[in-house]
């Protein structure tokens, strides 16, 4: 058995957010999200789901590359099991279909990525000020969250968030779709797979 690890000495995005107590710039967010979408696209192409995408599980290398980490609750899909039903993950970042215990796939990670982007823009994920059990109810019953101050962000970024946070998972973008999104596609080309 071999365990291969990579040093991500920049810490997690959560650590960076807490240490700086300042919002990230849109260019910084674009770079981080580009790396994350590339990682999710690869993971989903391997028929795997991360199931716990959040700022604490996105790690930075010294040269500023963002890497998905903590695959402790990830799941493998197969030809016979194309979706999962297990309620697992961090409550504030959970997709509605996970909370409702319906079948889900990699699009649940896309919801979590959208919530992570809101968290990095606003300091905390939606409903963070309420008890986790209440938040779970609110996520599944209320409309999808949006940026509190959309005027601070570009139209393309607002659209990217809206593509991630579609409550109907059948209509939500995939990671492969997001790689072509105008907000990150040029950055994705520059950093490459």
């Amino acid at each position: 058995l071999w365990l291969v690890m990579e040093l991500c000495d920049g810490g997690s995005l959560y650590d960076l957010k807490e240490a700086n107590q300042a919002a990230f710039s849109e260019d910084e967010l674009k770079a981080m999200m580009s790396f994350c979408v590339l990682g999710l696209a690869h993971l989903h192409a391997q028929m795997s789901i991360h199931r716990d995408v959040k700022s604490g599980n996105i790690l930075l290398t010294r040269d500023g590359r963002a890497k998905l980490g903590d695959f402790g609750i990830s799941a493998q899909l197969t030809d016979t099991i194309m979706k999962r039903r297990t309620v697992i993950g961090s409550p504030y970042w959970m997709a509605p279909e996970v909370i409702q215990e319906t079948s889900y796939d990699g699009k649940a990670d896309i919801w979590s990525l959208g919530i992570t982007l809101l968290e990095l823009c606003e300091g905390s994920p939606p409903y963070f000020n309420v008890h986790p059990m209440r938040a779970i109810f609110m996520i599944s019953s209320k409309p999808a969250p949006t940026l509190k101050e959309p005027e601070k962000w570009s139209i393309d970024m607002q659209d990217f968030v809206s593509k991630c946070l579609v409550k109907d998972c059948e209509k939500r973008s995939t990671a492969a779709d997001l790689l072509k999104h105008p907000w990150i596609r040029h950055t994705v080309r520059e950093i490459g797979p």
Side-chain angles (χ1 to χ4, degrees):
L1 177 67
W2 288 84
L3 181 61
V4 179
M5 297 172 51
E6 180 178 358
L7 176 64
C8 293
D9 49 356
S12 71
L13 289 183
Y14 177 82
D15 294 337
L16 190 59
K17 173 182 70 96
E18 292 298 305
N20 289 339
Q21 291 297 317
F24 292 99
S25 72
E26 186 165 334
D27 285 339
E28 291 168 331
L29 292 170
K30 186 186 304 187
M32 291 182 272
M33 289 299 114
S34 296
F35 282 112
C36 291
V37 175
L38 277 166
L40 288 174
H42 174 75
L43 192 65
H44 296 166
Q46 305 305 311
M47 296 183 64
S48 293
I49 313 171
H50 188 281
R51 302 201 298 185
D52 201 18
V53 175
K54 60 183 180 179
S55 65
N57 290 337
I58 300 171
L59 308 174
L60 295 173
T61 62
R62 185 171 294 199
D63 64 353
R65 292 178 169 268
K67 307 271 184 162
L68 293 171
D70 193 353
F71 288 83
I73 61 171
S74 64
Q76 183 70 40
L77 301 174
T78 65
D79 290 336
T80 54
I81 303 172
M82 294 299 293
K83 297 201 178 226
R84 289 292 178 141
R85 296 182 75 97
T86 314
V87 179
I88 195 162
S90 300
Y92 301 102
W93 292 266
M94 269 188 207
E97 64 270 21
V98 175
I99 292 167
Q100 294 163 351
E101 299 183 65
T102 59
S103 297
Y104 63 89
D105 57 16
K107 289 184 179 181
D109 288 339
I110 300 303
W111 175 277
S112 300
L113 184 71
I115 296 298
T116 301
L117 185 50
L118 290 183
E119 173 193 9
L120 296 172
C121 289
E122 299 169 354
S124 60
Y127 312 122
F128 200 66
N129 58 339
V130 299
H131 188 276
M133 294 308 290
R134 176 104 176 104
I136 284 173
F137 171 77
M138 295 169 82
I139 291 165
S140 61
S141 63
K142 293 197 176 262
T146 59
L147 289 159
K148 290 179 185 171
E149 299 177 271
E151 67 280 356
K152 290 173 62 176
W153 311 101
S154 71
I155 298 295
D156 282 342
M157 182 176 152
Q158 293 175 51
D159 186 64
F160 183 89
V161 170
S162 73
K163 297 282 194 259
C164 293
L165 299 178
V166 174
K167 287 196 71 168
D168 180 351
C169 60
E170 297 300 321
K171 296 178 181 171
R172 192 177 308 141
S173 293
T174 65
D177 296 334
L178 291 177
L179 288 174
K180 301 171 197 156
H181 191 279
W183 188 57
I184 64 167
R185 74 174 167 229
H186 299 296
T187 308
V188 165
R189 277 191 219 131
E190 288 172 13
I191 59 178

